[in-house]
Amino acid sequence: DTCAGEWIKAHNAVRINVDYFLNSRYADFKSYMVHELRHALDDYKQKGYANKYSMNRPAKIDSDKSKEFVEYQNMPAEINARYAQAISSIDQQLDTAFWKDGVYDTQSITALVNSKFKRYEIAYLFPEKTESKEYKRLVQRAVKYIQNVLKKT
């Protein structure tokens, strides 16, 4: 099983594949827990229907991806979970490095957000990739979040 974990709605539980984390030098347990717990939260907030509705975006099928996988990737709950993963990993890196000449360097923050979104394949979830309005909105939302966190420190 190559899946790191999954939210099992029927049991209200997160299943973690321990072998995945023991055998992968890239696996980040916290990141995957955030991802699966976001699925649980979405499911709870949507009363069990978090993945029932898609955003009706046309899914681009790459030759190495199955149609079912791409449809899953296009679900709003999956986008939420990957966004939560990216933000969680960014939170771990925040410090005053973004402070330049009395202001927070938006360009550096945006570059960090884009690199994390690339790592968690968020652009892949949109047919237009990084040119998608929805993708750009998520980047702006993340940058604002980071700026607010930095202001509080």
Side-chain angles (χ1 to χ4, degrees):
D1 190 358
T2 59
C3 178
E6 66 181 320
W7 163 243
I8 305 172
K9 179 172 60 172
H11 299 288
N12 285 330
V14 172
R15 182 188 71 83
I16 297 298
N17 180 352
V18 176
D19 289 336
Y20 181 86
F21 292 99
L22 293 176
N23 296 321
S24 173
R25 65 182 189 172
Y26 301 110
D28 176 3
F29 181 78
K30 177 187 173 197
S31 169
Y32 285 98
M33 282 302 294
V34 165
H35 180 102
E36 298 308 333
L37 290 173
R38 182 64 217 202
H39 280 311
L41 178 62
D42 284 343
D43 206 49
Y44 173 78
K45 287 170 63 177
Q46 299 297 321
K47 298 183 179 11
Y49 293 98
N51 279 325
K52 184 175 182 181
Y53 304 103
S54 71
M55 296 173 77
N56 296 320
R57 291 189 311 267
K60 182 176 184 233
I61 312 292
D62 292 334
S63 60
D64 63 333
K65 308 285 187 213
S66 72
K67 182 177 187 260
E68 292 79 19
F69 179 75
V70 172
E71 287 172 353
Y72 168 75
Q73 295 267 300
N74 275 289
M75 291 180 177
E78 183 61 18
I79 294 169
N80 286 344
R82 287 177 182 248
Y83 180 84
Q85 264 183 299
I87 293 299
S88 172
S89 70
I90 289 170
D91 272 347
Q92 297 169 14
Q93 294 181 331
L94 290 182
D95 58 24
T96 57
F98 297 112
W99 185 259
K100 292 184 182 176
D101 301 322
V103 294
Y104 291 105
D105 180 28
T106 303
Q107 187 175 1
S108 295
I109 294 171
T110 302
L112 175 62
V113 168
N114 280 318
S115 73
K116 293 299 180 175
F117 280 15
K118 182 177 181 180
R119 183 192 184 304
Y120 292 102
E121 299 180 339
I122 292 175
Y124 171 79
L125 306 176
F126 300 99
E128 301 88 11
K129 307 288 188 258
T130 58
E131 296 304 312
S132 164
K133 284 191 313 187
E134 293 92 351
Y135 177 84
K136 290 177 180 179
R137 184 183 58 81
L138 287 178
V139 170
Q140 289 174 345
R141 188 170 130 201
V143 168
K144 278 182 147 179
Y145 166 79
I146 291 167
Q147 288 171 328
N148 286 333
V149 169
L150 288 170
K151 286 177 187 174
K152 292 177 186 175
T153 58

